[in-house]
Amino acid sequence: MTDAQPRKAGDTRLRLLDLAEAAVLEKGFAATSIDELIAGAGITKSGFFYHFRDKGDLAKALLERYVAHNQAILADIFARADELDEDPLHGFLVALRLFAETMADLPGRHPGCLSASFCYQDRLFDREVRELNRAGISCWRAMFRARLEAIARRYPPRLAVDLGDLADMASTLVDGGIVLSRVFDDREVLPRQILLYRELVRTVFLPPAAPTQD
Amino acid sequence: MTDAQPRKAGDTRLRLLDLAEAAVLEKGFAATSIDELIAGAGITKSGFFYHFRDKGDLAKALLERYVAHNQAILADIFARADELDEDPLHGFLVALRLFAETMADLPGRHPGCLSASFCYQDRLFDREVRELNRAGISCWRAMFRARLEAIARRYPPRLAVDLGDLADMASTLVDGGIVLSRVFDDREVLPRQILLYRELVRTVFLPPAAPTQD
DNA sequence: TGTACATCAGTGAACGCGCGTTCACTGATGTAC
DNA sequence: TGTACATCAGTGAACGCGCGTTCACTGATGTAC
């Protein structure tokens, strides 16, 4: 078959998670069968149940990994931006540009956001999974909010906007932008929305830009 | 049972659609069984297949109704706003306020957006349904864009933002705002995002507000 | 260095239930003449 | 006004397939002594 290279330990479980994530984002969790995952991973059904207690356990593992990964991505972007510019506002603006570029560089259509997918199927999952999803988005919200508050301490806001709402707007634009990117099959939509958000943030904290573009 | 009142013609089909829409938004399309719908509607399985050719036909009917309904809601809000203020910018700002109020007045948690739900399960549907979803969101985009362009003709934009992106942002905020509203079980999130969008639109077209609030 | 045991990463066969779909049929209402 | 036929809105029974799950078992690798 496809396996010229030897299997490494932990490899199969990872492969199952990768296959499941892609399938869930295309068809939803209920329509993703264990059979198709094991076919893709090249093991038998019992092998699947060695790795996961039941299908709900797969859901939990999927979301745990996704949330952790997303947090790492955002933290990494903020860290890289902080290196480039230590001023909180300009660092944030750099981060948003990096973020937009990251989103623009995805191959093909956007894979989707597992949190949004789970949100629209949450009656399938137990309280633990729903709590995990909430906590994951809360974390994003908190990271943006902390940045915005640090900015506001140095640059008094010129518009009367609530910083919590402005922080939520980042998550909101990402989740909504992914939906539009997918529905229109146009990967430009999401990065453009992020850059528009960047424009909004700039306007909130900075006087109207000088005529020089960027 | 629950039926003291007599059945009207077309009643059963409507009931099936209502039950299906609610179930799909809670669990996804694949996990919504025909059995649960007919149990709710009080008919037998064959009765279901009298109304719908197959399950895919239900999906199409569901989305057709949803898209038409959503278009009507938006058109109605714009029409009401136009009555209150014929200036394009102020009419638009009034419309956004009306929209935020409509979203704030929903009972319980937000029911969800069928377009977003379908977008995350689109491999379950045929091309026709996916096209319909695309067309539905395109329509929203076009309605917002037309308004923004009418505004720009009278109020030259003070910020260099693309009006297409600004139009998309409305759809984006709604879809993303619904996700956050649902995940946090906080119906405030979506209306607050809409009002923040309103603030952004105002800033794009109007000089900084006088100190008087609103 | 050899042996005993434990753990890891699975196999293979069977399970029963729920699912979407089909088919022949029906009783009430509407329409043509 | 009566009769024949058509349409509407379903019923009831059966179908087979795919699904998630269980259970006893296995061969390879790791660890204790």
Side-chain angles (χ1 to χ4, degrees):
Chain A
M1 300 304 226
T2 62
D3 42 353
Q5 69 280 42
R7 286 288 151 70
K8 287 165 218 147
D11 208 34
T12 302
R13 191 186 147 96
L14 259 178
R15 252 172 86 63
L16 287 169
L17 286 172
D18 288 343
L19 288 162
E21 185 168 317
V24 167
L25 290 172
E26 295 288 324
K27 307 182 300 191
F29 185 76
T32 296
S33 71
I34 295 171
D35 282 276
E36 73 178 287
L37 304 180
I38 62 175
I43 57 169
T44 63
K45 219 172 223 185
S46 326
F48 174 88
F49 286 98
Y50 170 75
H51 289 289
F52 304 101
R53 200 171 55 256
D54 53 26
K55 209 189 173 191
D57 192 34
L58 170 67
K60 195 182 141 204
L62 227 38
L63 192 57
E64 267 168 358
R65 188 179 74 146
Y66 183 78
V67 164
H69 183 229
N70 253 18
Q71 252 151 252
I73 284 182
L74 191 59
D76 174 61
I77 281 178
F78 279 144
R80 279 199 287 151
D82 287 345
E83 263 177 41
L84 294 173
D85 198 325
E86 64 171 8
D87 174 84
L89 175 57
H90 292 98
F92 190 68
L93 295 177
V94 167
L96 288 177
R97 189 174 284 284
L98 286 174
F99 189 37
E101 277 163 13
T102 306
M103 292 301 105
D105 285 347
L106 297 172
R109 87 165 186 170
H110 194 288
C113 169
L114 207 62
S115 292
S117 172
F118 273 40
C119 147
Y120 274 110
Q121 285 155 266
D122 65 1
R123 279 291 106 91
L124 297 179
F125 309 120
D126 55 25
R127 183 191 311 274
E128 200 184 351
V129 170
R130 292 201 296 268
E131 277 295 317
L132 178 58
N133 207 10
R134 212 186 53 70
I137 298 195
S138 263
C139 173
W140 260 53
R141 167 191 248 177
M143 286 175 85
F144 275 96
R145 181 166 192 149
R147 297 270 155 173
L148 290 170
E149 274 168 0
I151 294 168
R153 279 192 291 277
R154 192 169 308 180
Y155 299 86
R158 305 164 43 85
L159 263 61
V161 302
D162 181 276
L163 294 186
D165 292 342
L166 196 56
D168 278 351
M169 199 184 213
S171 307
T172 287
L173 284 181
V174 170
D175 275 323
I178 291 173
V179 169
L180 261 70
S181 273
R182 284 170 66 96
V183 169
F184 289 133
D185 199 1
D186 173 2
R187 68 160 150 283
E188 290 271 282
V189 176
L190 176 56
R192 292 176 75 95
Q193 291 297 306
I194 295 170
L195 292 179
L196 183 50
Y197 177 70
R198 181 174 179 274
E199 215 40 49
L200 170 60
V201 170
R202 189 220 288 276
T203 306
V204 167
F205 294 107
L206 240 41
T212 59
Q213 276 292 68
D214 256 23
Chain B
M1 299 303 229
T2 60
D3 43 351
Q5 70 278 41
R7 287 286 151 73
K8 287 165 219 148
D11 209 33
T12 303
R13 191 186 146 96
L14 259 179
R15 253 172 85 65
L16 287 170
L17 286 172
D18 288 343
L19 288 162
E21 183 168 320
V24 167
L25 290 171
E26 295 287 325
K27 304 180 300 191
F29 185 75
T32 296
S33 71
I34 295 172
D35 283 277
E36 74 178 288
L37 303 180
I38 62 175
I43 57 168
T44 63
K45 218 172 224 185
S46 325
F48 174 88
F49 285 97
Y50 170 73
H51 289 289
F52 304 99
R53 199 172 54 256
D54 53 26
K55 209 189 173 190
D57 192 34
L58 169 68
K60 194 182 143 206
L62 226 39
L63 192 58
E64 267 169 358
R65 187 179 74 147
Y66 183 79
V67 164
H69 183 229
N70 253 20
Q71 253 152 253
I73 284 182
L74 191 59
D76 174 63
I77 281 178
F78 279 144
R80 279 199 287 151
D82 287 343
E83 264 177 41
L84 294 172
D85 199 323
E86 64 171 10
D87 175 84
L89 174 57
H90 293 97
F92 190 68
L93 295 176
V94 167
L96 288 177
R97 189 174 284 285
L98 286 173
F99 189 37
E101 276 163 14
T102 306
M103 292 300 106
D105 284 348
L106 297 172
R109 87 166 184 168
H110 193 288
C113 168
L114 208 62
S115 293
S117 171
F118 273 40
C119 145
Y120 274 112
Q121 285 155 264
D122 65 2
R123 279 290 106 95
L124 296 179
F125 310 120
D126 55 26
R127 184 191 312 271
E128 200 183 352
V129 170
R130 293 201 295 268
E131 276 296 314
L132 179 57
N133 206 12
R134 211 186 53 70
I137 299 195
S138 264
C139 174
W140 259 54
R141 169 191 247 178
M143 286 176 87
F144 274 96
R145 179 162 195 156
R147 297 271 155 174
L148 289 170
E149 273 169 0
I151 293 169
R153 280 193 290 275
R154 191 168 310 180
Y155 299 85
R158 305 165 43 86
L159 265 60
V161 301
D162 181 275
L163 293 186
D165 292 344
L166 197 55
D168 278 351
M169 199 184 212
S171 308
T172 288
L173 283 180
V174 170
D175 275 323
I178 291 172
V179 169
L180 261 70
S181 272
R182 283 170 67 96
V183 169
F184 289 133
D185 199 2
D186 174 1
R187 71 162 146 283
E188 292 271 283
V189 176
L190 176 57
R192 291 176 76 95
Q193 291 297 306
I194 295 170
L195 292 179
L196 183 49
Y197 177 69
R198 182 175 179 273
E199 215 39 48
L200 170 60
V201 170
R202 190 218 288 276
T203 305
V204 167
F205 294 106
L206 242 38
T212 58
Q213 277 294 69
D214 258 23

